[in-house]
Amino acid sequence: MTNLLHPLPDASRGEVFENLLTRPGCRIERIVSLGQVTPPERPYVQPHDEWVLVLAGRAVVEAEGAATALSPGDWLLIPAGAAHRVTFTDPDAPTVWLAVHFG
Amino acid sequence: MTNLLHPLPDASRGEVFENLLTRPGCRIERIVSLGQVTPPERPYVQPHDEWVLVLAGRAVVEAEGAATALSPGDWLLIPAGAAHRVTFTDPDAPTVWLAVHFG
């Protein structure tokens, strides 16, 4: 894959996670969502910082009690240990995320 | 800065480099270009791998003898030690790059 926006995998049956590159201390991943959200009872909690950028689509992330609406170009740093949830992704068009995982 | 696409800095007098986040082994940077190219006599050579993604605009990168045209969503890994040059960026609209520097 050399373009992150097309072609896109079909995410209608579940989010699609693809590793782009892994280096010591750093992993780059593309995620494609289509309406999926994080179950309220199972928030993500990671032992490392994560930087996420929305490349296409629309989403809302709730982290540390604050909800942030994300559109293309918007980025967010999710600190290590912070419980966070994706509470919305557009059900009608793919949301494409770039995630950089540290540590 | 929480959005990488707007507002954009004025790059008409030179490319604008902005550090977004630095962690051990990993640095994320936004670069905005407007027609600038790398002088042929001064190619970039870096001691670390660099991953670049075009978020907006158009560019051509020449690395290890191969020219790659980049449009939004296109990414490229530039290996450590590889001489590389940006041989084109759109002079009429900003080209926005996301660069992840490893090591």
Side-chain angles (χ1 to χ4, degrees):
Chain A
M1 181 206 330
T2 59
N3 188 288
L4 301 185
L5 298 172
H6 45 87
L8 288 177
D10 176 8
S12 58
R13 294 176 176 220
E15 291 183 301
V16 181
F17 297 79
E18 282 161 284
N19 226 36
L20 299 173
L21 202 70
T22 303
R23 289 288 184 280
C26 198
R27 181 169 66 88
I28 304 179
E29 181 183 45
R30 183 184 74 175
I31 305 162
V32 180
S33 311
L34 189 64
Q36 290 89 0
V37 300
T38 316
E41 69 281 11
R42 287 193 286 118
Y44 294 115
V45 183
Q46 292 163 176
H48 56 260
D49 288 352
E50 178 180 354
W51 186 87
V52 290
L53 166 66
V54 168
L55 296 173
R58 295 180 305 134
V60 177
V61 172
E62 212 177 276
E64 300 183 303
T68 306
L70 301 170
S71 295
D74 285 329
W75 63 270
L76 190 66
L77 176 66
I78 300 167
H84 59 284
R85 293 175 54 217
V86 176
T87 56
F88 172 82
T89 58
D90 191 338
D92 298 320
T95 294
V96 183
W97 310 77
L98 186 76
V100 181
H101 302 270
F102 302 99
Chain B
M1 183 206 330
T2 60
N3 188 288
L4 302 185
L5 298 173
H6 46 87
L8 288 178
D10 177 9
S12 58
R13 295 179 175 216
E15 291 182 302
V16 180
F17 297 79
E18 283 160 283
N19 227 36
L20 299 173
L21 203 70
T22 303
R23 289 288 183 279
C26 199
R27 181 168 67 87
I28 304 178
E29 181 183 45
R30 182 184 73 175
I31 305 163
V32 180
S33 311
L34 189 64
Q36 291 89 0
V37 299
T38 316
E41 69 280 12
R42 287 193 286 116
Y44 294 113
V45 184
Q46 292 164 173
H48 56 260
D49 288 351
E50 178 180 353
W51 185 87
V52 290
L53 166 67
V54 168
L55 296 173
R58 294 181 304 134
V60 177
V61 172
E62 212 177 276
E64 301 184 304
T68 306
L70 301 171
S71 295
D74 285 327
W75 62 270
L76 191 66
L77 176 66
I78 300 166
H84 59 283
R85 293 175 53 217
V86 177
T87 57
F88 172 81
T89 58
D90 191 338
D92 298 320
T95 294
V96 182
W97 311 77
L98 186 76
V100 181
H101 302 269
F102 301 99

